[in-house]
């Protein structure tokens, strides 16, 4: 295993919309930048798969600017193992990288919330974002019968992606009632006209797909793989035969790195000021790690963070867009917060930790995440509690899992280098 040491003025973690916007703004100040991402291609979640897949001109423009600069070093497929103030250790192929940074912009985005219900671990059941990721990676859904269920705008985006990949979308089952959806849309029209048009465009592209409000998945079943889903629609229960069930119950910020860096968190997101600065000196945060608000929020926050971290002035027009993006994030949060009744979907024999096969009945016996983890091994599998820890927060009101370094599973040779306290030796 080889080792490399990098010294940089500005480190940006995450090459999604926020990270690309931050780099693009910071470049104007002529600083040396490293952009690090665990994905093999830039673009984050919405622009997943790299530039060949991008349809948004903003992504191309930022990426071209970054590529053409001698000042930027892009580190794809790089996994952070440990970090502390001013230093970070990461793995890339068979290299251990030690990066010394002066300033850091954290753009680590968000992940899906997956809620357990009977049958959610059967092959064919996945997150709506997971379905999009599969399609963006080239998977075909030609002729597949797809049901999309959960709550929020991601349902429509996932349905559109599935349809474009050749699927027959049988139903979009939205958990919220029509009254809440109409209130949301009315607020969009009042505050965010462009987004209202965007939503109408999405609905139009899905005009032949059944869209039901007050509709909730109760169970998925099948031999070997998914064959059928049971849903509650108002007072009725229905069963539908299908090949894929994609569920979306919203997103949750990826806080592991912010937590390790001791950045203050509020309401499950990184706390930032109007300059996108966190509570820790020389660390800024932008995009969905600071709250779920969509791509426009990620872009404007990234832009402001890039300017602020390189001591450039922030134009008033940018601040206006930032405030508008924040208003949209608040609207999303109030309109699509998880309904307490969704807890009842998880039955005693439902697996909550699918890595370690731990059922709800075994978890319920414990008072908090720490005890449950010690006794049942929940959260000790490959996802390290990222899925089941979030589910337990919702199901039992437990605090989020506390992480220790290494923040992600690492190769033994990297751990050996870390333990030795020196990353200069090879082998
Ligand atoms: C699964 C999913 C699907 C989505 N689909 C849509 C959609 O179809 N339409 C839509 O409008 N919005 C969608 N969104 C929301 C959309 O992703 C955001 O609005 C936007 O991409 C946020 O940009 P960001 O830069 O903040 O975060 P992201 O786009 O999430 O980018 C964060 C980047 O940080 C990297 N990263 C995270 N942690 C680490 C780490 N520890 N080490 C190294 N790199 C790290 C990730 O690999 C990622 O590339 C989706 C979100 C998710 C989670």
């Amino acid at each position: 295993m080889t080792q490399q040491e990098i010294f940089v003025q500005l480190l940006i973690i995450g090459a999604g919309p926020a990270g690309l916007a931050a780099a693009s703004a910071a470049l104007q100040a002529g600083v040396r930048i490293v952009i690090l991402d665990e994905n093999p291609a830039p673009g984050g979640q919405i622009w997943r798969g790299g530039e060949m897949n991008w349809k948004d001109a903003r992504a191309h423009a930022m990426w071209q600017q970054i590529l053409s600069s001698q000042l930027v070093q892009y580190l794809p497929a790089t996994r952070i193992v440990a970090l502390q103030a001013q230093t970070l250790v990461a793995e890339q192929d068979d290299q251990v990288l030690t990066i010394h940074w002066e300033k850091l912009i954290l753009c680590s985005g968000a992940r899906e919330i997956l809620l357990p219900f009977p049958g959610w671990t059967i092959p064919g059941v996945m997150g709506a974002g997971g379905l999009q990721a599969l399609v963006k990676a080239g998977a075909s859904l030609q002729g597949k019968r797809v049901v999309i269920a959960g709550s929020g705008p991601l349902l429509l985006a996932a349905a559109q992606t599935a349809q474009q990949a050749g699927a027959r979308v049988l139903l979009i089952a939205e958990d919220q009632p029509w009254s809440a959806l109409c209130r949301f849309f009315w607020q969009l029209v009042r505050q965010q006209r462009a987004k209202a048009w965007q939503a109408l465009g999405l609905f139009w592209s899905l005009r032949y797909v059944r869209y039901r409000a007050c509709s909730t998945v109760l169970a998925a079943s099948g031999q070997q793989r998914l064959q059928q889903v049971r849903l509650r629609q108002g007072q009725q229960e229905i069963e539908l035969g299908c090949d894929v069930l994609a569920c979306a119950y919203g997103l949750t910020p990826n806080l592991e790195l912010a937590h390790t860096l001791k950045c203050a968190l509020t309401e499950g997101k990184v706390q930032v000021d109007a300059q996108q600065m966190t509570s820790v000196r020389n660390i800024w945060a932008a995009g969905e790690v600071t709250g779920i608000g969509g791509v426009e929020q990620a872009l404007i926050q990234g832009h402001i963070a890039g300017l602020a971290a390189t001591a450039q002035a922030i134009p008033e027009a940018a601040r206006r867009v930032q405030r508008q993006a924040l208003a949209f994030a608040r609207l999303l949060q109030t309109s699509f917060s998880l309904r307490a009744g969704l807890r009842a979907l998880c039955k005693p024999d439902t697996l909550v930790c699918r890595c370690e096969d731990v059922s709800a009945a075994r978890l319920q016996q414990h008072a908090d995440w720490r005890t449950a983890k010690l006794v049942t091994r929940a959260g000790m599998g490959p996802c390290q509690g990222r899925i089941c820890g979030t589910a337990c927060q919702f199901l039992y009101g437990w605090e989020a899992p506390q992480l220790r370094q290494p923040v992600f599973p690492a190769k033994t040779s990297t751990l050996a280098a870390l333990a030795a306290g020196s990353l200069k030796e090879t082998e």
Side-chain angles (χ1 to χ4, degrees), residues 188-202:
L188 269 194
V189 172
R190 285 186 54 211
Q191 303 171 17
Q192 317 265 340
R193 199 63 56 94
K195 289 215 181 288
W197 278 112
Q198 213 180 332
L200 283 177
L202 258 179

Side-chain angles (χ1 to χ4, degrees), residues 14 17-18 37-39 44-46 107-110 132 154 287-288 294-295 408:
D37 198 301
E38 62 191 4
N39 272 340
Q45 296 292 352
I46 189 168
C107 304
S108 54
Q132 288 183 307
L154 196 54
E288 301 224 296
V295 66
F408 290 100

Side-chain angles (χ1 to χ4, degrees), residues 35-203:
I35 309 176
L36 178 157
D37 198 301
E38 62 191 4
N39 272 340
Q45 296 292 352
I46 189 168
W47 298 330
R48 187 177 263 275
E51 57 183 329
M52 303 293 285
N53 288 339
W54 295 344
K55 295 191 185 94
D56 192 324
R58 297 171 296 185
H60 285 287
M62 290 188 297
W63 189 238
Q64 283 315 313
Q65 186 195 358
I66 290 165
L67 276 189
S68 60
S69 169
Q70 304 284 323
L71 293 169
V72 184
Q73 185 176 4
Y74 167 54
L75 300 173
T78 304
R79 182 142 258 232
I80 297 169
V81 174
L83 80 166
Q84 60 192 55
Q86 277 19 75
T87 307
L88 168 157
V89 177
E91 284 176 351
Q92 189 195 49
D93 296 328
D94 59 351
Q95 276 200 101
V96 180
L97 305 173
T98 306
I99 303 174
H100 303 279
W101 46 272
E102 290 171 24
K103 292 177 178 173
L104 170 69
I105 306 181
L106 195 55
C107 304
S108 54
R111 59 173 172 264
E112 293 191 86
I113 299 174
L114 299 180
L115 295 184
F117 58 87
W120 76 290
T121 54
I122 294 176
V125 183
M126 59 190 81
L131 174 93
Q132 288 183 307
L134 277 180
V135 171
K136 287 175 190 173
S140 166
L141 294 177
Q142 202 60 47
K144 296 266 188 254
R145 297 163 306 161
V146 175
V147 172
I148 315 263
S151 190
L154 196 54
L155 296 187
L156 298 180
Q160 191 186 44
T161 306
Q163 194 169 261
Q164 287 165 351
R168 207 148 59 84
V169 182
L170 303 181
L171 174 71
I172 303 173
E174 165 62 62
D175 182 63
Q176 295 286 339
W178 276 116
S179 54
L181 298 172
C182 290
R183 262 198 310 277
F184 171 69
F185 188 69
W186 174 237
Q187 290 304 324
L188 269 194
V189 172
R190 285 186 54 211
Q191 303 171 17
Q192 317 265 340
R193 199 63 56 94
K195 289 215 181 288
W197 278 112
Q198 213 180 332
L200 283 177
L202 258 179
F203 264 113

